[in-house]
Structures are given as structure tokens and as C-alpha cells.
Amino acid sequence: MAIAEDTRERILEAAAAAFAEKGFEAATIRDICQRAGANLAAVNYHFGDKEQLYLELIQRAHRLREQQVPLPHWPAGTPAAEKLRGFIRTTMVRMVEDPAPQWQMQIMMREMFHPTKTCQALVQDFFRQHFELLLSILRELVPLESDEKLHLIGFSIIGQCLHYRVARPVVELLVGADENAGYTADLLAEHIADFSLRALGVPGRNGQPRQEAAR
Amino acid sequence: MAIAEDTRERILEAAAAAFAEKGFEAATIRDICQRAGANLAAVNYHFGDKEQLYLELIQRAHRLREQQVPLPHWPAGTPAAEKLRGFIRTTMVRMVEDPAPQWQMQIMMREMFHPTKTCQALVQDFFRQHFELLLSILRELVPLESDEKLHLIGFSIIGQCLHYRVARPVVELLVGADENAGYTADLLAEHIADFSLRALGVPGRNGQPRQEAAR
DNA sequence: AATCGTTTCATACGCTTGTTTGAATTGATT
DNA sequence: AATCAATTCAAACAAGCGTATGAAACGATT
């Protein structure tokens, strides 16, 4: 019983790594079971089949995301610009950092771009949650813009963040390994926030710095 | 002879579609040959094996890109801001529009994010070319910034563009099918250019419009 | 100590994949 | 009309995949 739960857990761990690395079809049950030190038939016994194993993993990823890197929640009166900075920072931590095993975000991404019917709903509201929060901040920040314009602005911000997850190999190739190594969540988040707030015509933290700032 | 060249060509066409849709491993030779109306063994006969067929396709994509949507070239004295607008517009056309069969960009992308050793070099300088051009424009636009900062700015711009290729399913899901249908290369390019130029502190076309602009 | 439900294991089945092979077909050249 | 290289074809191959099965091993309960 205790042992059973144990191999179940080991399989989930191994599957997480495998699915994140190679995707659903490319990852093989044989590889997963070998990494988990379990028998080939273990997946069938504990989960039924490959797809249900994957489904359970997605649900787990969804749950863990919320616990480990919750979306920020601000006290009333927080300036909208500060909220945007917080939002971007949280997003970047989720994108590039490794506080929890990073297979979670990796799988959510893969699931979004190559959807599996089984868990569309789950992944959908994961992204919708983020987007709605971002929109509410933007509405506060530039109340005069139309909804359509706000959507575009939202994508401009998300696009900047996503780039460092989705195109990381390209980034490293273009700036070199050293500079790439310095791209921490904090550094990137600050740049993206500065860039975006300026684009929105919101003055920087100390009046309007920049020009001449970095060297 | 003439017939042989013909099936060779048909296979290349079919393979382009298949690889772009499903990627290298997921696309099957059987499917490709069926679409091409050729025998299963035709790939082996004309190309040797699956990988060499893929390689030939990448080379072709690389060549065609240059011909069909060349990077813009400006007369001396063109304002840097105008160059940036042109660069972004060209990029967006390559990203979302379908002037040539769009498998070309699709395959280049896939090759970048899931590299195949065989054609790293080819794909690398495809991206490097773009990036260097963008950097040269930015240097002209904000000459006071350091190279590191320029890299970040470059990624902010590319990230915004890439988003509409890489995350298009998410985009459609978040704004609905109607609004998504209105996202032409022109519309998106103009937004991204406005957004980015403002972020760089470069005044818009007519002084400093925006706020109250779109409705 | 014997029993019984739970979990592991080795093995095999059916299917799809990329690749190979040797015969059939074709179309131009002699 | 005969010949011959180039091309097509049906069929088969080994290898890998997800899944299914029935026997073995295990642990708690009687």
C-alpha cells in the first residue's frame, strides 16, 4: 500500500520530466518506467493508460502553480504601475526561474500550443486568469483606451515575457552564453516593465529616467 | 526524366505541408507519399532517407524567404523610426500572412526551437541577419544606450512580433474569433511599432498622438 | 500457518514507423 | 523491334510504440 503509492509517485515524477522534455507523443512509457525504476506495466496498472497519466500530471501542474507562485494580490490603493511591475515580475519568475521544478510551466505551454482535447478547459482558464488580471491592471493604467486596444497592449506585454521561454535557444545564440546567463527573472522583468510603462506614457519610478541610464 | 523530376517536386510540396504541420518526427513518409500521389519507396529513391528530404526542404525555405519577402533596404537619409516601422512590418508579414505558402517560416521556426543538428548553421544566420539589422536600426534610434540594453530592446520588439505566430491559438481564445480575424499584419505591425517607438521615447508620426486615439 | 486482495513482473500482441528489395513498367536510344 | 537505364511499384523487414495478460511476490488478516 505504502509501497504502491510510492511507485505511483515515482512514475509521476519521471513522467513530468519526460513529457516536459519531449512532449506527449514523443515521450515513451518505457522510458518513463525505466527512469522511475518501475515495471513497464505499472503505468497501465496505476493510471489506466498514457493519456490519463498525462491528464493527472496537468491537473497537478495546475494546482502546484497556484500554490508556489500565486498571482500577486495588492492592497487597495496600490498604484496601477506598481501592480503591472508585480504582474510582470511574477510572470517572468514563472517563465524562466526554477524555484519549483519547471516542468509545470513547460507542460502548460506545450499543452497550449499543441492542445490535447482532454484538458483544454483546464489550460484555457489558466491563461485566461492571467490575461484578465493583466487587462484589469491596464484598464486602471490607461482608462481611455478601447478594449481592442487594451488587448493589443496586453499581448505586447505577454509577448515580451513569453519570448524568453519560447525562444531561449535563439536568445542565447544571439547574445552569447555570458550575457544570456545574466538574464535573471528580475533583470528581464525590470526591463520589460520599464519598456512597457514608457510605451503607455506612464512616468518611471523617479520621474522619467532612462536615456543615459544603463551603460 | 521529366516525370521523375515531377514526382520529386510533388514530394517536396507534400513534405513541406506535412513537416510544417506536424514537425519532423510526427510527419510520416507514408502520409507524404500519399499526398504526393507517389509510391512509398519514392522518398528513399529520390532523397535517400527522411532526414535528407527534410534538409533539402530547409535549404529551399531559406532560399525562397529571401526572394519573396526580402528585408527592406532604405535610401540614405530615411529616418530611423521609419526604418523600424518597415522592419516590423516585414517581420509581421512573414509571421502571419500567407503570400507564399507559409510552411517556410513555420519550418524555420520549428527548426530554431527544436534544432536538428544538420542545419543549425543555416537557420542560425537566418535569425542573426534579422537581429543584426534590427540592432543597427536601434543604434541609430537610441544611440546613447549600451549594447546590452539594445539587446533587451531588440528582444522586446521581436517578442511582440513572435507572439502572434507562436501563441496564435491562445490569442484567438482570449479575444474571440472575430477580433482575432481582424489581426492583419498591417494592424499588428502598426500597433507594435507605435508601442515600441513610444517606449523608446521617439515621438509618433504626428507629434505625440495616442491617448484618446483608437476607440 | 493459511488465505486473500494488492502490487509487481516478464512476456506477448497488434500496430505503425522508416527502410529495403527485387520485380514490373516506362521511354528513349540503337 | 530490341535494348537498356531510369523510374515506379507491391511487398516485406526490423524496430519501436501502447497495451493486455496471467503468473509470481508481497503483506496484512483471519
PDB file of all heavy atoms in Angstrom, chain A residues 112 124 128 151-152 155-156 160 164 170 173 179 191 195 198-199 215, chain B residues 112 124 128 151-152 155-156 160 164 170 173 179 191 195 198-199:
ATOM      1  N   MET A 112      -0.760  24.316 -24.398  1.00  0.00           N
ATOM      2  CA  MET A 112      -1.463  25.427 -25.016  1.00  0.00           C
ATOM      3  C   MET A 112      -1.211  25.475 -26.519  1.00  0.00           C
ATOM      4  O   MET A 112      -2.114  25.733 -27.299  1.00  0.00           O
ATOM      5  CB  MET A 112      -0.978  26.741 -24.387  1.00  0.00           C
ATOM      6  CG  MET A 112      -1.900  27.903 -24.660  1.00  0.00           C
ATOM      7  SD  MET A 112      -3.512  27.711 -23.887  1.00  0.00           S
ATOM      8  CE  MET A 112      -4.627  27.639 -25.272  1.00  0.00           C
ATOM      9  N   GLN A 124      -7.079  26.386 -20.614  1.00  0.00           N
ATOM     10  CA  GLN A 124      -7.675  27.644 -21.042  1.00  0.00           C
ATOM     11  C   GLN A 124      -7.818  28.624 -19.899  1.00  0.00           C
ATOM     12  O   GLN A 124      -7.353  29.757 -19.968  1.00  0.00           O
ATOM     13  CB  GLN A 124      -9.044  27.384 -21.665  1.00  0.00           C
ATOM     14  CG  GLN A 124      -8.967  26.999 -23.130  1.00  0.00           C
ATOM     15  CD  GLN A 124     -10.350  26.843 -23.740  1.00  0.00           C
ATOM     16  OE1 GLN A 124     -11.341  27.273 -23.165  1.00  0.00           O
ATOM     17  NE2 GLN A 124     -10.394  26.218 -24.896  1.00  0.00           N
ATOM     18  N   ARG A 128      -6.483  32.343 -19.250  1.00  0.00           N
ATOM     19  CA  ARG A 128      -7.475  33.413 -19.190  1.00  0.00           C
ATOM     20  C   ARG A 128      -7.358  34.194 -17.880  1.00  0.00           C
ATOM     21  O   ARG A 128      -7.445  35.412 -17.845  1.00  0.00           O
ATOM     22  CB  ARG A 128      -8.884  32.840 -19.342  1.00  0.00           C
ATOM     23  CG  ARG A 128      -9.957  33.895 -19.493  1.00  0.00           C
ATOM     24  CD  ARG A 128     -11.311  33.278 -19.733  1.00  0.00           C
ATOM     25  NE  ARG A 128     -11.463  32.699 -21.059  1.00  0.00           N
ATOM     26  CZ  ARG A 128     -11.649  33.429 -22.164  1.00  0.00           C
ATOM     27  NH1 ARG A 128     -11.689  34.756 -22.092  1.00  0.00           N
ATOM     28  NH2 ARG A 128     -11.787  32.839 -23.323  1.00  0.00           N
ATOM     29  N   HIS A 151      -6.358  44.881 -25.534  1.00  0.00           N
ATOM     30  CA  HIS A 151      -5.931  43.523 -25.882  1.00  0.00           C
ATOM     31  C   HIS A 151      -4.557  43.547 -26.547  1.00  0.00           C
ATOM     32  O   HIS A 151      -3.671  42.767 -26.198  1.00  0.00           O
ATOM     33  CB  HIS A 151      -6.946  42.885 -26.837  1.00  0.00           C
ATOM     34  CG  HIS A 151      -8.263  42.589 -26.196  1.00  0.00           C
ATOM     35  ND1 HIS A 151      -9.396  42.298 -26.915  1.00  0.00           N
ATOM     36  CD2 HIS A 151      -8.641  42.571 -24.897  1.00  0.00           C
ATOM     37  CE1 HIS A 151     -10.410  42.076 -26.091  1.00  0.00           C
ATOM     38  NE2 HIS A 151      -9.973  42.249 -24.850  1.00  0.00           N
ATOM     39  N   LEU A 152      -4.404  44.454 -27.503  1.00  0.00           N
ATOM     40  CA  LEU A 152      -3.120  44.538 -28.203  1.00  0.00           C
ATOM     41  C   LEU A 152      -1.996  44.874 -27.227  1.00  0.00           C
ATOM     42  O   LEU A 152      -0.906  44.308 -27.295  1.00  0.00           O
ATOM     43  CB  LEU A 152      -3.194  45.589 -29.315  1.00  0.00           C
ATOM     44  CG  LEU A 152      -4.072  45.210 -30.511  1.00  0.00           C
ATOM     45  CD1 LEU A 152      -4.160  46.357 -31.500  1.00  0.00           C
ATOM     46  CD2 LEU A 152      -3.531  43.959 -31.185  1.00  0.00           C
ATOM     47  N   PHE A 155      -1.087  41.836 -25.233  1.00  0.00           N
ATOM     48  CA  PHE A 155      -0.263  40.890 -25.986  1.00  0.00           C
ATOM     49  C   PHE A 155       1.159  41.406 -26.146  1.00  0.00           C
ATOM     50  O   PHE A 155       2.110  40.627 -26.201  1.00  0.00           O
ATOM     51  CB  PHE A 155      -0.882  40.599 -27.350  1.00  0.00           C
ATOM     52  CG  PHE A 155      -2.140  39.794 -27.265  1.00  0.00           C
ATOM     53  CD1 PHE A 155      -3.230  40.074 -28.071  1.00  0.00           C
ATOM     54  CD2 PHE A 155      -2.240  38.757 -26.360  1.00  0.00           C
ATOM     55  CE1 PHE A 155      -4.395  39.321 -27.982  1.00  0.00           C
ATOM     56  CE2 PHE A 155      -3.398  37.994 -26.259  1.00  0.00           C
ATOM     57  CZ  PHE A 155      -4.472  38.283 -27.080  1.00  0.00           C
ATOM     58  N   SER A 156       1.309  42.716 -26.252  1.00  0.00           N
ATOM     59  CA  SER A 156       2.660  43.271 -26.353  1.00  0.00           C
ATOM     60  C   SER A 156       3.461  42.946 -25.104  1.00  0.00           C
ATOM     61  O   SER A 156       4.649  42.629 -25.175  1.00  0.00           O
ATOM     62  CB  SER A 156       2.600  44.784 -26.558  1.00  0.00           C
ATOM     63  OG  SER A 156       2.379  45.081 -27.924  1.00  0.00           O
ATOM     64  N   GLN A 160       6.489  39.943 -24.877  1.00  0.00           N
ATOM     65  CA  GLN A 160       7.846  40.193 -24.401  1.00  0.00           C
ATOM     66  C   GLN A 160       8.273  39.139 -23.385  1.00  0.00           C
ATOM     67  O   GLN A 160       9.409  38.658 -23.406  1.00  0.00           O
ATOM     68  CB  GLN A 160       7.934  41.581 -23.755  1.00  0.00           C
ATOM     69  CG  GLN A 160       7.811  42.735 -24.717  1.00  0.00           C
ATOM     70  CD  GLN A 160       7.847  44.061 -23.987  1.00  0.00           C
ATOM     71  OE1 GLN A 160       8.888  44.495 -23.501  1.00  0.00           O
ATOM     72  NE2 GLN A 160       6.694  44.719 -23.892  1.00  0.00           N
ATOM     73  N   TYR A 164      11.170  34.884 -23.750  1.00  0.00           N
ATOM     74  CA  TYR A 164      12.327  34.322 -23.062  1.00  0.00           C
ATOM     75  C   TYR A 164      12.118  32.876 -22.664  1.00  0.00           C
ATOM     76  O   TYR A 164      13.048  32.196 -22.250  1.00  0.00           O
ATOM     77  CB  TYR A 164      12.684  35.168 -21.841  1.00  0.00           C
ATOM     78  CG  TYR A 164      13.219  36.516 -22.242  1.00  0.00           C
ATOM     79  CD1 TYR A 164      12.381  37.627 -22.307  1.00  0.00           C
ATOM     80  CD2 TYR A 164      14.546  36.670 -22.606  1.00  0.00           C
ATOM     81  CE1 TYR A 164      12.861  38.864 -22.707  1.00  0.00           C
ATOM     82  CE2 TYR A 164      15.038  37.901 -23.008  1.00  0.00           C
ATOM     83  CZ  TYR A 164      14.194  38.990 -23.052  1.00  0.00           C
ATOM     84  OH  TYR A 164      14.674  40.199 -23.461  1.00  0.00           O
ATOM     85  N   VAL A 170      17.353  30.749 -29.133  1.00  0.00           N
ATOM     86  CA  VAL A 170      17.705  31.819 -30.063  1.00  0.00           C
ATOM     87  C   VAL A 170      18.366  32.956 -29.303  1.00  0.00           C
ATOM     88  O   VAL A 170      19.360  33.539 -29.759  1.00  0.00           O
ATOM     89  CB  VAL A 170      16.459  32.354 -30.791  1.00  0.00           C
ATOM     90  CG1 VAL A 170      16.873  33.131 -32.023  1.00  0.00           C
ATOM     91  CG2 VAL A 170      15.525  31.232 -31.148  1.00  0.00           C
ATOM     92  N   LEU A 173      21.883  32.214 -28.472  1.00  0.00           N
ATOM     93  CA  LEU A 173      22.682  32.236 -29.689  1.00  0.00           C
ATOM     94  C   LEU A 173      23.027  33.660 -30.102  1.00  0.00           C
ATOM     95  O   LEU A 173      24.118  33.945 -30.593  1.00  0.00           O
ATOM     96  CB  LEU A 173      21.892  31.557 -30.793  1.00  0.00           C
ATOM     97  CG  LEU A 173      22.616  31.368 -32.098  1.00  0.00           C
ATOM     98  CD1 LEU A 173      22.462  29.922 -32.540  1.00  0.00           C
ATOM     99  CD2 LEU A 173      22.082  32.305 -33.152  1.00  0.00           C
ATOM    100  N   GLU A 179      26.199  36.768 -21.636  1.00  0.00           N
ATOM    101  CA  GLU A 179      25.128  37.741 -21.435  1.00  0.00           C
ATOM    102  C   GLU A 179      23.822  37.021 -21.119  1.00  0.00           C
ATOM    103  O   GLU A 179      23.062  37.446 -20.255  1.00  0.00           O
ATOM    104  CB  GLU A 179      24.974  38.607 -22.691  1.00  0.00           C
ATOM    105  CG  GLU A 179      24.256  39.912 -22.444  1.00  0.00           C
ATOM    106  CD  GLU A 179      24.364  40.843 -23.660  1.00  0.00           C
ATOM    107  OE1 GLU A 179      25.433  40.848 -24.311  1.00  0.00           O
ATOM    108  OE2 GLU A 179      23.382  41.549 -23.934  1.00  0.00           O
ATOM    109  N   HIS A 191      13.334  45.346 -17.081  1.00  0.00           N
ATOM    110  CA  HIS A 191      13.395  45.920 -18.433  1.00  0.00           C
ATOM    111  C   HIS A 191      12.025  45.966 -19.085  1.00  0.00           C
ATOM    112  O   HIS A 191      11.612  46.983 -19.638  1.00  0.00           O
ATOM    113  CB  HIS A 191      14.344  45.132 -19.331  1.00  0.00           C
ATOM    114  CG  HIS A 191      14.104  45.382 -20.787  1.00  0.00           C
ATOM    115  ND1 HIS A 191      14.495  46.553 -21.414  1.00  0.00           N
ATOM    116  CD2 HIS A 191      13.457  44.649 -21.734  1.00  0.00           C
ATOM    117  CE1 HIS A 191      14.116  46.509 -22.684  1.00  0.00           C
ATOM    118  NE2 HIS A 191      13.481  45.370 -22.904  1.00  0.00           N
ATOM    119  N   PHE A 195      10.067  49.303 -20.179  1.00  0.00           N
ATOM    120  CA  PHE A 195       9.753  49.450 -21.603  1.00  0.00           C
ATOM    121  C   PHE A 195       8.255  49.670 -21.800  1.00  0.00           C
ATOM    122  O   PHE A 195       7.816  50.591 -22.493  1.00  0.00           O
ATOM    123  CB  PHE A 195      10.220  48.191 -22.339  1.00  0.00           C
ATOM    124  CG  PHE A 195      10.149  48.267 -23.836  1.00  0.00           C
ATOM    125  CD1 PHE A 195      11.216  48.757 -24.573  1.00  0.00           C
ATOM    126  CD2 PHE A 195       9.030  47.809 -24.517  1.00  0.00           C
ATOM    127  CE1 PHE A 195      11.167  48.797 -25.967  1.00  0.00           C
ATOM    128  CE2 PHE A 195       8.975  47.854 -25.905  1.00  0.00           C
ATOM    129  CZ  PHE A 195      10.050  48.350 -26.625  1.00  0.00           C
ATOM    130  N   ARG A 198       6.735  52.951 -20.219  1.00  0.00           N
ATOM    131  CA  ARG A 198       7.083  54.081 -21.072  1.00  0.00           C
ATOM    132  C   ARG A 198       6.214  54.112 -22.320  1.00  0.00           C
ATOM    133  O   ARG A 198       5.740  55.165 -22.743  1.00  0.00           O
ATOM    134  CB  ARG A 198       8.559  54.001 -21.483  1.00  0.00           C
ATOM    135  CG  ARG A 198       9.418  55.086 -20.836  1.00  0.00           C
ATOM    136  CD  ARG A 198      10.864  54.903 -21.213  1.00  0.00           C
ATOM    137  NE  ARG A 198      11.272  55.816 -22.273  1.00  0.00           N
ATOM    138  CZ  ARG A 198      11.667  57.061 -22.070  1.00  0.00           C
ATOM    139  NH1 ARG A 198      11.671  57.551 -20.844  1.00  0.00           N
ATOM    140  NH2 ARG A 198      12.048  57.822 -23.064  1.00  0.00           N
ATOM    141  N   ALA A 199       5.985  52.944 -22.876  1.00  0.00           N
ATOM    142  CA  ALA A 199       5.137  52.866 -24.064  1.00  0.00           C
ATOM    143  C   ALA A 199       3.728  53.350 -23.764  1.00  0.00           C
ATOM    144  O   ALA A 199       3.048  53.908 -24.624  1.00  0.00           O
ATOM    145  CB  ALA A 199       5.091  51.435 -24.583  1.00  0.00           C
ATOM    146  N   ARG A 215      24.582  51.477 -18.772  1.00  0.00           N
ATOM    147  CA  ARG A 215      25.763  51.595 -19.612  1.00  0.00           C
ATOM    148  C   ARG A 215      26.222  50.174 -19.886  1.00  0.00           C
ATOM    149  O   ARG A 215      27.175  49.844 -20.273  1.00  0.00           O
ATOM    150  CB  ARG A 215      26.839  52.436 -18.948  1.00  0.00           C
ATOM    151  CG  ARG A 215      27.428  51.812 -17.676  1.00  0.00           C
ATOM    152  CD  ARG A 215      28.854  52.241 -17.470  1.00  0.00           C
ATOM    153  NE  ARG A 215      29.702  51.394 -18.260  1.00  0.00           N
ATOM    154  CZ  ARG A 215      30.553  51.807 -19.207  1.00  0.00           C
ATOM    155  NH1 ARG A 215      30.686  53.032 -19.523  1.00  0.00           N
ATOM    156  NH2 ARG A 215      31.308  50.964 -19.885  1.00  0.00           N
TER     157      ARG A 215
ATOM    158  N   MET B 112      14.284  26.225 -35.314  1.00  0.00           N
ATOM    159  CA  MET B 112      15.005  27.043 -34.340  1.00  0.00           C
ATOM    160  C   MET B 112      14.758  26.555 -32.925  1.00  0.00           C
ATOM    161  O   MET B 112      15.661  26.494 -32.109  1.00  0.00           O
ATOM    162  CB  MET B 112      14.529  28.495 -34.465  1.00  0.00           C
ATOM    163  CG  MET B 112      15.470  29.470 -33.804  1.00  0.00           C
ATOM    164  SD  MET B 112      17.092  29.512 -34.581  1.00  0.00           S
ATOM    165  CE  MET B 112      18.177  28.942 -33.301  1.00  0.00           C
ATOM    166  N   GLN B 124      20.652  29.419 -38.105  1.00  0.00           N
ATOM    167  CA  GLN B 124      21.281  30.428 -37.253  1.00  0.00           C
ATOM    168  C   GLN B 124      21.443  31.762 -37.964  1.00  0.00           C
ATOM    169  O   GLN B 124      21.001  32.790 -37.477  1.00  0.00           O
ATOM    170  CB  GLN B 124      22.641  29.937 -36.763  1.00  0.00           C
ATOM    171  CG  GLN B 124      22.551  29.054 -35.540  1.00  0.00           C
ATOM    172  CD  GLN B 124      23.921  28.676 -35.025  1.00  0.00           C
ATOM    173  OE1 GLN B 124      24.931  29.274 -35.404  1.00  0.00           O
ATOM    174  NE2 GLN B 124      23.960  27.678 -34.173  1.00  0.00           N
ATOM    175  N   ARG B 128      20.160  35.517 -37.212  1.00  0.00           N
ATOM    176  CA  ARG B 128      21.169  36.524 -36.891  1.00  0.00           C
ATOM    177  C   ARG B 128      21.069  37.720 -37.827  1.00  0.00           C
ATOM    178  O   ARG B 128      21.199  38.876 -37.409  1.00  0.00           O
ATOM    179  CB  ARG B 128      22.565  35.916 -36.956  1.00  0.00           C
ATOM    180  CG  ARG B 128      23.644  36.841 -36.432  1.00  0.00           C
ATOM    181  CD  ARG B 128      24.999  36.192 -36.446  1.00  0.00           C
ATOM    182  NE  ARG B 128      25.138  35.167 -35.416  1.00  0.00           N
ATOM    183  CZ  ARG B 128      25.354  35.440 -34.135  1.00  0.00           C
ATOM    184  NH1 ARG B 128      25.413  36.705 -33.720  1.00  0.00           N
ATOM    185  NH2 ARG B 128      25.492  34.478 -33.265  1.00  0.00           N
ATOM    186  N   HIS B 151      20.143  44.975 -26.831  1.00  0.00           N
ATOM    187  CA  HIS B 151      19.704  43.592 -26.988  1.00  0.00           C
ATOM    188  C   HIS B 151      18.333  43.396 -26.365  1.00  0.00           C
ATOM    189  O   HIS B 151      17.426  42.803 -26.973  1.00  0.00           O
ATOM    190  CB  HIS B 151      20.705  42.639 -26.338  1.00  0.00           C
ATOM    191  CG  HIS B 151      22.022  42.598 -27.044  1.00  0.00           C
ATOM    192  ND1 HIS B 151      23.156  42.060 -26.475  1.00  0.00           N
ATOM    193  CD2 HIS B 151      22.395  43.041 -28.268  1.00  0.00           C
ATOM    194  CE1 HIS B 151      24.167  42.149 -27.324  1.00  0.00           C
ATOM    195  NE2 HIS B 151      23.728  42.749 -28.417  1.00  0.00           N
ATOM    196  N   LEU B 152      18.184  43.894 -25.148  1.00  0.00           N
ATOM    197  CA  LEU B 152      16.896  43.730 -24.458  1.00  0.00           C
ATOM    198  C   LEU B 152      15.775  44.404 -25.237  1.00  0.00           C
ATOM    199  O   LEU B 152      14.678  43.860 -25.379  1.00  0.00           O
ATOM    200  CB  LEU B 152      16.982  44.310 -23.042  1.00  0.00           C
ATOM    201  CG  LEU B 152      17.856  43.512 -22.067  1.00  0.00           C
ATOM    202  CD1 LEU B 152      17.951  44.221 -20.726  1.00  0.00           C
ATOM    203  CD2 LEU B 152      17.291  42.108 -21.888  1.00  0.00           C
ATOM    204  N   PHE B 155      14.845  42.312 -28.187  1.00  0.00           N
ATOM    205  CA  PHE B 155      14.005  41.168 -27.834  1.00  0.00           C
ATOM    206  C   PHE B 155      12.586  41.603 -27.494  1.00  0.00           C
ATOM    207  O   PHE B 155      11.626  40.867 -27.736  1.00  0.00           O
ATOM    208  CB  PHE B 155      14.618  40.394 -26.668  1.00  0.00           C
ATOM    209  CG  PHE B 155      15.877  39.663 -27.044  1.00  0.00           C
ATOM    210  CD1 PHE B 155      16.962  39.628 -26.183  1.00  0.00           C
ATOM    211  CD2 PHE B 155      15.975  39.014 -28.261  1.00  0.00           C
ATOM    212  CE1 PHE B 155      18.128  38.945 -26.529  1.00  0.00           C
ATOM    213  CE2 PHE B 155      17.134  38.339 -28.623  1.00  0.00           C
ATOM    214  CZ  PHE B 155      18.208  38.309 -27.750  1.00  0.00           C
ATOM    215  N   SER B 156      12.463  42.787 -26.933  1.00  0.00           N
ATOM    216  CA  SER B 156      11.116  43.274 -26.636  1.00  0.00           C
ATOM    217  C   SER B 156      10.310  43.430 -27.919  1.00  0.00           C
ATOM    218  O   SER B 156       9.116  43.125 -27.969  1.00  0.00           O
ATOM    219  CB  SER B 156      11.181  44.613 -25.893  1.00  0.00           C
ATOM    220  OG  SER B 156      11.407  44.403 -24.506  1.00  0.00           O
ATOM    221  N   GLN B 160       7.246  40.751 -29.211  1.00  0.00           N
ATOM    222  CA  GLN B 160       5.889  41.168 -29.554  1.00  0.00           C
ATOM    223  C   GLN B 160       5.453  40.559 -30.886  1.00  0.00           C
ATOM    224  O   GLN B 160       4.319  40.104 -31.046  1.00  0.00           O
ATOM    225  CB  GLN B 160       5.813  42.689 -29.657  1.00  0.00           C
ATOM    226  CG  GLN B 160       5.946  43.421 -28.336  1.00  0.00           C
ATOM    227  CD  GLN B 160       5.919  44.927 -28.555  1.00  0.00           C
ATOM    228  OE1 GLN B 160       4.887  45.502 -28.860  1.00  0.00           O
ATOM    229  NE2 GLN B 160       7.075  45.566 -28.394  1.00  0.00           N
ATOM    230  N   TYR B 164       2.520  36.494 -32.081  1.00  0.00           N
ATOM    231  CA  TYR B 164       1.353  36.224 -32.924  1.00  0.00           C
ATOM    232  C   TYR B 164       1.555  35.022 -33.818  1.00  0.00           C
ATOM    233  O   TYR B 164       0.631  34.549 -34.451  1.00  0.00           O
ATOM    234  CB  TYR B 164       1.008  37.460 -33.752  1.00  0.00           C
ATOM    235  CG  TYR B 164       0.492  38.583 -32.888  1.00  0.00           C
ATOM    236  CD1 TYR B 164       1.337  39.592 -32.430  1.00  0.00           C
ATOM    237  CD2 TYR B 164      -0.829  38.600 -32.488  1.00  0.00           C
ATOM    238  CE1 TYR B 164       0.869  40.599 -31.620  1.00  0.00           C
ATOM    239  CE2 TYR B 164      -1.317  39.605 -31.676  1.00  0.00           C
ATOM    240  CZ  TYR B 164      -0.463  40.604 -31.244  1.00  0.00           C
ATOM    241  OH  TYR B 164      -0.927  41.590 -30.425  1.00  0.00           O
ATOM    242  N   VAL B 170      -3.710  30.752 -28.531  1.00  0.00           N
ATOM    243  CA  VAL B 170      -4.053  31.423 -27.280  1.00  0.00           C
ATOM    244  C   VAL B 170      -4.697  32.767 -27.566  1.00  0.00           C
ATOM    245  O   VAL B 170      -5.673  33.151 -26.925  1.00  0.00           O
ATOM    246  CB  VAL B 170      -2.792  31.651 -26.419  1.00  0.00           C
ATOM    247  CG1 VAL B 170      -3.188  31.920 -24.986  1.00  0.00           C
ATOM    248  CG2 VAL B 170      -1.866  30.468 -26.504  1.00  0.00           C
ATOM    249  N   LEU B 173      -8.216  32.409 -28.599  1.00  0.00           N
ATOM    250  CA  LEU B 173      -9.027  32.006 -27.456  1.00  0.00           C
ATOM    251  C   LEU B 173      -9.358  33.182 -26.555  1.00  0.00           C
ATOM    252  O   LEU B 173     -10.454  33.286 -25.996  1.00  0.00           O
ATOM    253  CB  LEU B 173      -8.248  30.963 -26.668  1.00  0.00           C
ATOM    254  CG  LEU B 173      -8.969  30.308 -25.522  1.00  0.00           C
ATOM    255  CD1 LEU B 173      -8.797  28.813 -25.626  1.00  0.00           C
ATOM    256  CD2 LEU B 173      -8.445  30.807 -24.199  1.00  0.00           C
ATOM    257  N   GLU B 179     -12.483  39.181 -33.334  1.00  0.00           N
ATOM    258  CA  GLU B 179     -11.399  40.143 -33.172  1.00  0.00           C
ATOM    259  C   GLU B 179     -10.105  39.565 -33.735  1.00  0.00           C
ATOM    260  O   GLU B 179      -9.339  40.259 -34.391  1.00  0.00           O
ATOM    261  CB  GLU B 179     -11.226  40.489 -31.689  1.00  0.00           C
ATOM    262  CG  GLU B 179     -10.506  41.801 -31.448  1.00  0.00           C
ATOM    263  CD  GLU B 179     -10.600  42.226 -29.983  1.00  0.00           C
ATOM    264  OE1 GLU B 179     -11.666  42.003 -29.372  1.00  0.00           O
ATOM    265  OE2 GLU B 179      -9.604  42.770 -29.465  1.00  0.00           O
ATOM    266  N   HIS B 191       0.479  48.680 -34.503  1.00  0.00           N
ATOM    267  CA  HIS B 191       0.419  48.731 -33.039  1.00  0.00           C
ATOM    268  C   HIS B 191       1.790  48.520 -32.412  1.00  0.00           C
ATOM    269  O   HIS B 191       2.213  49.267 -31.534  1.00  0.00           O
ATOM    270  CB  HIS B 191      -0.547  47.688 -32.490  1.00  0.00           C
ATOM    271  CG  HIS B 191      -0.302  47.375 -31.040  1.00  0.00           C
ATOM    272  ND1 HIS B 191      -0.657  48.249 -30.023  1.00  0.00           N
ATOM    273  CD2 HIS B 191       0.325  46.333 -30.434  1.00  0.00           C
ATOM    274  CE1 HIS B 191      -0.291  47.724 -28.858  1.00  0.00           C
ATOM    275  NE2 HIS B 191       0.315  46.576 -29.078  1.00  0.00           N
ATOM    276  N   PHE B 195       3.767  51.207 -30.198  1.00  0.00           N
ATOM    277  CA  PHE B 195       4.085  50.826 -28.815  1.00  0.00           C
ATOM    278  C   PHE B 195       5.585  50.939 -28.556  1.00  0.00           C
ATOM    279  O   PHE B 195       6.028  51.552 -27.579  1.00  0.00           O
ATOM    280  CB  PHE B 195       3.600  49.394 -28.591  1.00  0.00           C
ATOM    281  CG  PHE B 195       3.673  48.919 -27.166  1.00  0.00           C
ATOM    282  CD1 PHE B 195       2.619  49.132 -26.291  1.00  0.00           C
ATOM    283  CD2 PHE B 195       4.788  48.232 -26.702  1.00  0.00           C
ATOM    284  CE1 PHE B 195       2.672  48.678 -24.986  1.00  0.00           C
ATOM    285  CE2 PHE B 195       4.852  47.767 -25.398  1.00  0.00           C
ATOM    286  CZ  PHE B 195       3.788  47.991 -24.535  1.00  0.00           C
ATOM    287  N   ARG B 198       7.142  54.567 -28.844  1.00  0.00           N
ATOM    288  CA  ARG B 198       6.806  55.324 -27.644  1.00  0.00           C
ATOM    289  C   ARG B 198       7.683  54.893 -26.474  1.00  0.00           C
ATOM    290  O   ARG B 198       8.161  55.718 -25.696  1.00  0.00           O
ATOM    291  CB  ARG B 198       5.342  55.115 -27.290  1.00  0.00           C
ATOM    292  CG  ARG B 198       4.479  56.338 -27.536  1.00  0.00           C
ATOM    293  CD  ARG B 198       3.034  56.065 -27.229  1.00  0.00           C
ATOM    294  NE  ARG B 198       2.638  56.534 -25.908  1.00  0.00           N
ATOM    295  CZ  ARG B 198       2.242  57.781 -25.660  1.00  0.00           C
ATOM    296  NH1 ARG B 198       2.235  58.673 -26.627  1.00  0.00           N
ATOM    297  NH2 ARG B 198       1.876  58.137 -24.446  1.00  0.00           N
ATOM    298  N   ALA B 199       7.883  53.579 -26.365  1.00  0.00           N
ATOM    299  CA  ALA B 199       8.732  53.077 -25.287  1.00  0.00           C
ATOM    300  C   ALA B 199      10.141  53.636 -25.401  1.00  0.00           C
ATOM    301  O   ALA B 199      10.831  53.839 -24.401  1.00  0.00           O
ATOM    302  CB  ALA B 199       8.765  51.554 -25.324  1.00  0.00           C
TER     303      ALA B 199
END
